[in-house]
Amino acid sequence: MMLDILEELDVSAIEEKYRQKDPRGTRPYAPKMMVGLLLYGYSVGIRSSRKLEKATYEDIPFRVLTAGHHPDHTRISEFRRKDLDELEDLFLQVFQICQRMGLVELGNMALDGTKVQASASKHKAMSYERMLEEEERLKEEIQQMLEEAEATDRAEDERFGRENRGDELPEELERRRDRLEKIQEGKADLEKEAKQGRAEEVQAKADRAKKRAESHESKRERKRSETLAEKWDKQAEQLREEASGQVGAEAGDPETPEGMPKHRPKCETDGTPKPKAQRNFTDPDSRIMEKGGEFLQGYNCQLLVDKANQIIVAQGVTNQSPDNGNFGPMVEKGADNAEASPEAVLADSGYWTRRLRRRLKRDQQHPDTRPF
């Protein structure tokens, strides 16, 4: 079955990357073989690259898939990391093959999310309030140490003479400076992200006001909405300009898949982060999330599954902890993958929002339109 599926997969994008490399290096394993090893391993619940390597020696299905080869676990993990974008495209190809085989009925579908630990510790996160406090504390300590270093240099110059070196910064001072730079960088990124989020909120208000200005039955309300729309458009543009002028790291804007909701730090009306807004220094896009009564630094992973044969129709990852806001994008993604709309989607109450209720009400009135 897996061998038949591999024959149908298009791995030309991965093969093209290999063709562009210097041919004098070590000969790579066949991309289709590596893809088959990962797909089959993940489908039977083996995620560890070391366990996959071990399986190529001990399990007959893996020995058949790899044709007697035994890729090292470092090669397996490197293949996954370097070809991640291409492997994501293979997910859609596998789903379409399952669909052609009649395994996808698009009847009752189920949607749910789970929190997954990021490669970062929640203890490496810091709130905006603490960033401000730490910045001031470190500045005072550095200033004090510089003054002490200057006094020491003067005393040593008098004692040993100017020809002896004594101008190197103490190691402790270097550590504090590095920490201060890291905190200032994270603080700037948090301020930039907060302003971007506030600009999006204000722009959304402006867009809603424009719609009221065009469609409201009251002339007075249309005029009022038009004035508000102009005001909020200017405010949003100003916030975007301020955000673009922030000096910080390259991040600042989480790389969330298109259409999926993303977390924005809570901020004041002027776009300044609220004191409790946090940012992680190791993985800035990840967020602290609750799972099973415990908190982890991670992401919210979403799956839309065809219940008949347990085929994954769509998947997504967001750094927004609540599930609400994910229902529409995930159903839309599933409909795009299957090129058809599901008959029903089951989801828990965590996905329910007022916006979703309005959309469902609209769809009941216009049943011929797509759900989202």
Side-chain angles (χ1 to χ4, degrees):
M1 178 75 170
M2 180 58 69
L3 291 173
D4 293 336
I5 290 177
L6 285 174
E7 289 300 317
E8 296 294 324
L9 293 181
D10 178 11
V11 296
S12 57
I14 299 176
E15 291 172 342
E16 180 60 29
K17 290 173 68 174
Y18 283 111
R19 281 194 289 269
Q20 293 173 359
K21 298 175 96 176
D22 190 331
R24 294 173 296 178
T26 304
R27 185 176 180 181
Y29 288 108
K32 275 197 176 182
M33 183 269 282
M34 296 294 287
V35 168
L37 175 60
L38 289 176
L39 285 180
Y40 184 72
Y42 293 168
S43 68
V44 296
I46 301 178
R47 307 288 189 267
S48 166
S49 297
R50 286 176 172 81
K51 290 183 179 179
L52 288 174
E53 178 190 357
K54 184 179 179 182
T56 63
Y57 289 96
E58 299 179 351
D59 291 359
I60 292 177
F62 285 95
R63 291 178 66 93
V64 172
L65 281 170
T66 57
H69 293 289
H70 309 286
D72 185 83
H73 62 274
T74 57
R75 299 284 294 276
I76 296 172
S77 59
E78 184 182 10
F79 178 82
R80 186 192 66 247
R81 282 195 299 268
K82 287 188 174 181
D83 301 306
L84 187 61
D85 292 339
E86 289 76 12
L87 289 173
E88 287 182 358
D89 178 63
L90 291 178
F91 165 81
L92 180 57
Q93 292 188 43
V94 172
F95 166 72
Q96 290 172 340
I97 291 172
C98 293
Q99 192 174 19
R100 290 199 298 270
M101 294 171 65
L103 296 176
V104 181
E105 298 181 3
L106 293 179
N108 289 330
M109 304 182 71
L111 172 63
D112 203 0
T114 186
K115 310 302 190 298
V116 176
Q117 174 72 44
S119 182
S121 168
K122 63 184 178 184
H123 302 295
K124 292 295 183 181
M126 185 179 288
S127 68
Y128 185 68
E129 180 180 38
R130 192 176 163 209
M131 284 182 187
L132 294 173
E133 293 172 356
E134 283 290 290
E135 183 180 23
E136 291 304 315
R137 183 183 68 80
L138 288 169
K139 281 181 178 178
E140 290 176 5
E141 286 189 8
I142 288 173
Q143 183 61 37
Q144 181 181 353
M145 293 184 71
L146 286 173
E147 291 173 359
E148 290 176 359
E150 179 63 25
T152 301
D153 281 347
R154 285 198 302 268
E156 289 179 348
D157 284 346
E158 293 176 2
R159 182 178 179 184
F160 301 111
R162 295 281 297 179
E163 67 277 4
N164 294 321
R165 290 192 61 186
D167 59 344
E168 295 87 357
L169 287 174
E171 184 180 350
E172 188 178 1
L173 178 56
E174 287 289 357
R175 289 199 302 269
R176 279 172 168 74
R177 275 193 167 168
D178 290 343
R179 182 166 173 78
L180 177 60
E181 289 175 1
K182 193 71 175 177
I183 288 174
Q184 288 176 330
E185 182 181 290
K187 175 169 159 281
D189 284 335
L190 188 57
E191 290 170 346
K192 177 179 179 179
E193 193 176 334
K195 285 189 182 296
Q196 288 174 332
R198 181 58 183 165
E200 290 177 6
E201 292 176 4
V202 175
Q203 188 62 60
K205 289 167 63 177
D207 293 340
R208 290 194 296 269
K210 289 174 186 176
K211 289 183 179 180
R212 287 199 305 272
E214 295 173 356
S215 60
H216 203 278
E217 62 275 7
S218 169
K219 183 178 180 181
R220 180 178 178 182
E221 179 60 25
R222 289 200 301 272
K223 182 65 176 176
R224 174 179 169 276
S225 298
E226 186 177 346
T227 303
L228 287 174
E230 292 177 1
K231 171 188 171 183
W232 288 329
D233 266 334
K234 291 179 181 178
Q235 186 178 345
E237 181 61 30
Q238 181 181 351
L239 286 165
R240 282 192 290 267
E241 290 177 359
E242 291 175 359
S244 63
Q246 290 284 345
V247 180
E250 294 179 359
D253 195 14
E255 294 184 3
T256 309
E258 185 178 356
M260 299 292 290
K262 55 189 173 186
H263 170 88
R264 290 294 190 185
K266 294 181 179 179
C267 61
E268 310 292 349
T269 55
D270 63 350
T272 303
K274 289 196 172 182
K276 300 301 180 183
Q278 289 194 339
R279 188 173 185 83
N280 189 278
F281 293 115
T282 308
D283 185 352
D285 291 344
S286 64
R287 292 294 180 271
I288 291 180
M289 302 184 179
E290 189 272 336
K291 179 181 181 181
E294 297 181 355
F295 291 90
L296 57 82
Q297 188 79 31
Y299 294 89
N300 187 354
C301 300
Q302 301 284 316
L303 284 181
L304 182 66
V305 180
D306 188 299
K307 292 189 67 179
N309 293 293
Q310 297 295 295
I311 301 296
I312 297 174
V313 179
Q315 51 81 31
V317 179
T318 174
N319 63 353
Q320 178 175 285
S321 182
D323 285 329
N324 60 52
N326 289 297
F327 188 90
M330 287 301 297
V331 174
E332 182 73 29
K333 203 171 184 181
D336 288 339
N337 288 347
E339 297 183 349
S341 298
E343 294 178 10
V345 178
L346 306 178
D348 60 43
S349 59
Y351 288 89
W352 187 253
T353 63
R354 286 184 294 179
R355 180 175 179 272
L356 178 59
R357 181 177 62 184
R358 290 196 298 269
R359 295 294 295 271
L360 293 175
K361 185 177 180 180
R362 183 203 66 183
D363 295 335
Q364 289 175 351
Q365 297 172 348
H366 305 282
D368 295 333
T369 62
R370 289 186 62 179
F372 291 92

